[in-house]
Amino acid sequence: MTIRAKTVLGLVVIAAVFLVGRTVYRYVNFVEETRIAETEEIRRSLKSVEHLLDAEINRIALNVLDNAVWDDMYAFAQKPDDAFVKSNFPDFGITDIDITFAFITDRNGDVLMSKAWDLKDGSPTEIPSQIMEMATSEKGPMRPTSPDDKLSGVYAVEGVTYLLAAHPILTSENQGPVMGTLVMGRALDDELIQSFNEISGADIEISPLSIDKLKWFEGHAVSGARDMAYAANNDKSSTGAVTVKDILGHRALLIKAEIDRATYRRGYTAMIYALLSLFLMAFLMIAAILVFLDRFVLSKVSILSVQAQKAEFRPDVLQVIKGNDEISQLSRNFSLLLERLNVEKEKLKSIVESLGEGVFLCDGEGRITLANKAICDLIGLKRKPDGTVGSNVRINFHDSRTHAVRQDVSIKVLEMGHLLDVPEGLILTHKNGSETPIHLRAVPVFRNGSPIGGIFVCRDIGREKAVETTRTGFLATVSRHMAQPMERISWYLQLLSREKDKFSQDHKDAIGEIDKMTEGLLRLMEDLSMATSLEAGKNPLGKARHIDVAELVKKVMGSLSEEKRQKEIQAKITIKPGCCVLGDEKMLERVMEILASNAVKYSPQGGVIGIGCRRDGKYLSIHFSDAGIGIPQDEQDKIFKGFYRASNDRNENGFGLGLHLAKLVVEAHKGKISVESTEGQGSTFTVTFPLCGSEHQPDKTVIEPGVSGQTS
């Protein structure tokens, strides 16, 4: 994704988040403000209905008061008569004062008079028994015991709500004792509710409070005002409600008021227009920001990106953006960076081209991405002027013994993740069929911790091989031609030794010295012959037999008894009987002799050498340790090469052939030899062989036979 696209996407996301947040905030506030306004409007309507309801109850209470506090009524309660009823409570009189029922009880709760009429058609009806019981029962709420026990309010029974009032019967002077109770009531019918609607201007519904209605009320109770409920029905109307307690103190009546949501619709429309305006403003602002960024930032970045791609480390074709801003400064710095990279690239290219070794770079699949002239000459590969050789070119290594293609070499570089060193065993084949033995060194190239390719350096070791072959042949010839005359000299010395009594002491000493030197030269010739035969591939296991290590070491140490005595060397040997190896006895004896002799030779006067043997799984390890001069750390990997001697070796005797021969013999017996040494403190040489009957190799490396490398 380009910077321009990312910028546009980022601005759109920011604007979208802002607009969505602003919309949600405005809508939440609008809903809350509308709810508060509608709640107040409904509360006013409900208060108006409550006032009308109270006014109607007060009207009934005044009628009850006018008739209950009256001497004639007081006398009637003591002595009832029909004339008083006909005169003061005619049938038409109850309906004229808009009363549904009226009844009188004496002080004992007995009903003296009761009348009830339907206000719609004027027909007589029954007074609800629950209301009668409240006035006639001994502890009924409408049976007074004192002049002040008056009662008014609402009471719902059998699905009908009644507005009623009760007053004790007293004298005209409002004196007692109480002679009874006068009760009047009016049914809350549709006609009365309709009159409330007309007066309040709201759509009113008044009904007894059932369980379902109580649940609805509590579920929509207004927060902070539990005596009122509010619910928005839709975008056209909303409903509010209050409850009214009856004369017993229980919530018995539900008053609902429904209002038109004109305020909500006007506010919602205004909010939509405001949000549309906000969206338009945001769009114009984003467009302005994009124009500004494109003009002063993104266009310059695009030019810089395009020019960088075309430059290809050629600063001469890079367009520098003019100006004093940060982008222009970045363009100038980028041009300088490319110029420096170009110089470094040319330096590296010159170095790689000047190398005599073949160098090439491959990707993770083994395809060549860059090659120098030397590697192209080795395999007859043509390359382009920029150093590339094509898009799908690979270099195959062949095994020097089997000539099989070693496709695994480049793969192992990636798998191992570190330096791969193959001194010998590989060859490169030219297009004309010629073969070149090489010494291969390769390292992986990493990106973010993972190998993505490798750098391969191939050194032609053909001349070295030829020199080594010549050297080996020369040494073999020299050792063969010198062995016969040296043997004759040794034979003549033996003849002279038989007649030693005829010679003076000086002559005897001279003959002994000559014999000793002759024996050394014969041993050297024998070592040279053994080394050259092993280098030529001779298999010493053809004459192999089981050899007891303890007996072999005992024999070797016996041959060194004179050297030990002269230097007062003490040998600590810890070898258990029964440790045996399979091999050529003469060769293995020579290995033991070389290592034991070196331990004695380089130990200080009166020193101690150690020889031990231990089993490690299916392998047998034999170590020779001393406390001598030690070997420098940087030379420990060289001492096993032929004719090499450590730099701190001051002993004039020796040619540096012993450890080289020991290594050849040990490896020919499928073993290995190693050294651990600290300069000035001593050395420990360890040889490892498979136990008798073990077919396992003592060393398992990453590269198969023919390719030596580092173990992981």
Side-chain angles (χ1 to χ4, degrees):
M1 184 181 292
T2 63
I3 296 179
R4 182 178 284 104
K6 291 181 179 179
T7 304
V8 173
L9 180 60
L11 290 175
V12 170
V13 170
I14 293 173
V17 171
F18 170 76
L19 292 175
V20 170
R22 183 66 178 171
T23 301
V24 172
Y25 174 78
R26 287 290 301 272
Y27 182 76
V28 171
N29 284 347
F30 167 72
V31 170
E32 181 63 18
E33 291 171 358
T34 303
R35 184 190 67 80
I36 293 174
E38 291 182 348
T39 301
E40 290 300 319
E41 183 179 354
I42 292 174
R43 188 186 299 276
R44 288 193 296 269
S45 298
L46 293 174
K47 285 292 183 183
S48 174
V49 174
E50 287 181 327
H51 290 327
L52 293 173
L53 194 63
D54 290 340
E56 183 65 17
I57 293 173
N58 290 334
R59 181 187 68 80
I60 297 173
L62 287 175
N63 284 324
V64 172
L65 178 63
D66 289 342
N67 289 279
V69 183
W70 183 26
D71 290 340
D72 291 348
M73 178 65 71
Y74 195 78
F76 173 78
Q78 296 179 56
K79 188 177 180 181
D81 62 89
D82 294 338
F84 177 82
V85 174
K86 291 179 180 180
S87 173
N88 294 284
F89 292 98
D91 295 340
F92 60 87
I94 295 178
T95 58
D96 287 345
I97 60 175
D98 208 16
I99 297 296
T100 303
F101 65 85
F103 64 90
I104 303 171
T105 61
D106 60 12
R107 62 193 305 174
N108 296 322
D110 296 330
V111 178
L112 303 178
M113 184 277 297
S114 66
K115 290 189 176 183
W117 297 87
D118 188 338
L119 296 179
K120 291 182 180 180
D121 55 12
S123 60
T125 61
E126 295 291 334
I127 301 175
S129 59
Q130 292 92 330
I131 296 177
M132 295 287 288
E133 288 178 0
M134 286 191 293
T136 57
S137 62
E138 183 176 355
K139 295 183 179 181
M142 290 191 298
R143 185 171 177 178
T145 58
S146 68
D148 296 328
D149 290 344
K150 51 189 176 181
L151 185 67
S152 63
V154 300
Y155 190 76
V157 57
E158 298 177 358
V160 180
T161 302
Y162 293 92
L163 311 180
L164 52 83
H167 200 284
I169 297 175
L170 305 172
T171 65
S172 298
E173 289 77 18
N174 201 26
Q175 298 295 320
V178 176
M179 287 294 127
T181 306
L182 173 60
V183 181
M184 291 186 181
R186 205 273 193 210
L188 186 60
D189 52 17
D190 295 339
E191 183 179 352
L192 183 59
I193 294 174
Q194 182 61 34
S195 66
F196 289 170
N197 288 343
E198 294 173 356
I199 297 173
S200 65
D203 187 5
I204 302 300
E205 176 186 341
I206 304 176
S207 60
L209 185 63
S210 63
I211 294 177
D212 293 338
K213 292 179 180 179
L214 179 61
K215 289 181 178 179
W216 177 90
F217 181 85
E218 292 178 345
H220 294 84
V222 177
S223 177
R226 304 296 297 178
D227 60 335
M228 180 179 177
Y230 166 82
N233 302 326
N234 45 48
D235 61 344
K236 295 182 179 180
S237 65
S238 60
T239 300
V242 294
T243 58
V244 177
K245 294 182 179 181
D246 60 13
I247 57 176
L248 301 178
H250 303 147
R251 290 196 298 183
L253 200 63
L254 181 68
I255 304 177
K256 280 187 177 182
E258 185 176 301
I259 62 170
D260 183 65
R261 302 192 74 189
T263 303
Y264 170 83
R265 292 193 294 274
R266 290 193 299 271
Y268 185 80
T269 302
M271 184 186 69
I272 293 299
Y273 282 118
L275 290 176
L276 289 176
S277 301
L278 186 62
F279 272 90
L280 180 60
M281 291 177 60
F283 175 77
L284 295 176
M285 185 177 295
I286 292 175
I289 293 174
L290 287 176
V291 170
F292 174 81
L293 290 176
D294 190 72
R295 175 66 178 83
F296 296 101
V297 180
L298 299 180
S299 60
K300 295 182 178 181
V301 174
S302 298
I303 292 174
L304 187 61
S305 176
V306 172
Q307 292 298 324
Q309 293 176 3
K310 292 181 178 180
E312 296 180 352
F313 297 108
R314 293 177 56 198
D316 55 307
V317 301
L318 180 66
Q319 176 184 348
V320 179
I321 301 173
K322 297 180 180 180
N324 297 320
D325 55 13
E326 290 81 358
I327 302 297
S328 302
Q329 183 64 35
L330 176 63
S331 173
R332 289 190 289 274
N333 293 338
F334 192 72
S335 177
L336 294 175
L337 176 62
L338 283 181
E339 185 175 359
R340 294 172 185 172
L341 289 175
N342 185 60
V343 172
E344 295 300 323
K345 179 188 177 184
E346 291 300 323
K347 288 181 180 179
L348 180 61
K349 182 178 179 181
S350 299
I351 293 173
V352 173
E353 284 295 318
S354 64
L355 292 176
E357 290 83 0
V359 180
F360 67 92
L361 176 67
C362 73
D363 58 19
E365 297 181 2
R367 294 188 296 261
I368 297 177
T369 57
L370 189 66
N372 71 344
K373 181 177 182 300
I375 190 67
C376 293
D377 292 342
L378 283 176
I379 60 177
L381 185 64
K382 293 182 180 180
R383 60 177 184 158
K384 300 177 182 178
D386 59 357
T388 60
V389 294
S391 59
N392 196 23
V393 178
R394 291 177 171 85
I395 292 181
N396 292 324
F397 300 97
H398 294 79
D399 191 284
S400 60
R401 291 178 295 180
T402 64
H403 287 76
V405 177
R406 298 300 304 274
Q407 297 178 346
D408 59 330
V409 174
S410 58
I411 297 176
K412 289 186 184 299
V413 175
L414 303 178
E415 292 178 349
M416 292 167 60
H418 56 74
L419 174 67
L420 173 68
D421 189 6
V422 188
E424 56 186 9
L426 293 180
I427 58 175
L428 287 176
T429 304
H430 195 277
K431 285 186 175 180
N432 60 16
S434 61
E435 296 179 345
T436 304
I438 62 168
H439 176 183
L440 175 66
R441 291 175 66 87
V443 291
V445 178
F446 293 91
R447 176 183 293 170
N448 298 327
S450 300
I452 60 170
I455 299 175
F456 294 78
V457 179
C458 303
R459 184 168 64 88
D460 183 357
I461 59 174
R463 291 184 179 179
E464 297 178 9
K465 287 286 187 181
V467 171
E468 182 66 20
T469 301
T470 303
R471 182 187 68 84
T472 303
F474 172 75
L475 291 176
T477 301
V478 169
S479 63
R480 186 172 61 254
H481 284 80
M482 288 186 65
Q484 187 175 2
M486 293 306 299
E487 288 176 357
R488 289 186 179 182
I489 293 173
S490 178
W491 182 71
Y492 287 134
L493 286 173
Q494 291 178 11
L495 291 178
L496 290 174
S497 297
R498 294 175 184 175
E499 304 294 334
K500 61 182 179 179
D501 294 337
K502 299 179 180 181
F503 300 103
S504 65
Q505 186 61 40
D506 291 340
H507 289 162
K508 292 179 181 179
D509 293 339
I511 292 172
E513 187 68 23
I514 294 172
D515 185 47
K516 184 177 180 181
M517 295 179 66
T518 302
E519 184 179 353
L521 287 173
L522 285 172
R523 176 58 57 86
L524 176 61
M525 294 301 104
E526 186 178 347
D527 288 349
L528 283 173
S529 177
M530 187 183 299
T532 54
S533 65
L534 289 173
E535 289 175 345
K538 178 182 177 181
N539 183 8
L541 299 182
K543 300 179 181 180
R545 68 182 188 86
H546 290 175
I547 301 171
D548 190 302
V549 175
E551 292 296 328
L552 190 61
V553 170
K554 181 179 179 181
K555 180 179 179 182
V556 169
M557 294 307 296
S559 66
L560 297 174
S561 58
E562 180 63 23
E563 289 84 347
K564 288 170 50 185
R565 184 187 62 77
Q566 291 178 0
K567 297 190 69 173
E568 299 178 350
I569 299 296
Q570 180 183 359
K572 291 185 177 180
I573 303 174
T574 55
I575 301 178
K576 294 182 180 181
C579 294
C580 68
V581 294
L582 182 67
D584 185 291
E585 182 176 6
K586 183 178 179 181
M587 288 187 176
L588 293 179
E589 180 182 348
R590 182 60 182 141
V591 171
M592 305 297 173
E593 185 177 355
I594 291 171
L595 297 177
S597 175
N598 284 348
V600 172
K601 183 191 302 183
Y602 294 107
S603 290
Q605 187 73 23
V608 178
I609 66 172
I611 303 176
C613 180
R614 71 174 184 273
R615 291 190 179 189
D616 185 9
K618 294 186 177 181
Y619 307 106
L620 187 70
S621 297
I622 309 169
H623 67 267
F624 298 80
S625 60
D626 62 70
I629 61 175
I631 304 168
Q633 183 68 32
D634 58 346
E635 298 182 30
Q636 292 180 14
D637 58 342
K638 303 176 183 178
I639 60 173
F640 294 106
K641 294 182 178 180
F643 306 102
Y644 183 86
R645 299 182 67 183
S647 60
N648 61 344
D649 187 357
R650 300 293 182 265
N651 195 324
E652 296 182 358
N653 296 325
F655 297 92
L657 183 62
L659 290 178
H660 176 62
L661 176 61
K663 182 175 184 293
L664 292 174
V665 172
V666 170
E667 291 181 349
H669 285 75
K670 300 182 180 180
K672 67 176 183 178
I673 184 170
S674 61
V675 62
E676 294 180 3
S677 180
T678 302
E679 189 173 5
Q681 298 182 15
S683 306
T684 298
F685 286 84
T686 303
V687 290
T688 303
F689 298 103
L691 284 172
C692 294
S694 174
E695 297 178 355
H696 291 265
Q697 297 293 332
D699 182 27
K700 183 179 171 89
T701 59
V702 175
I703 307 300
E704 293 95 11
V707 181
S708 61
Q710 297 180 354
T711 58
S712 55

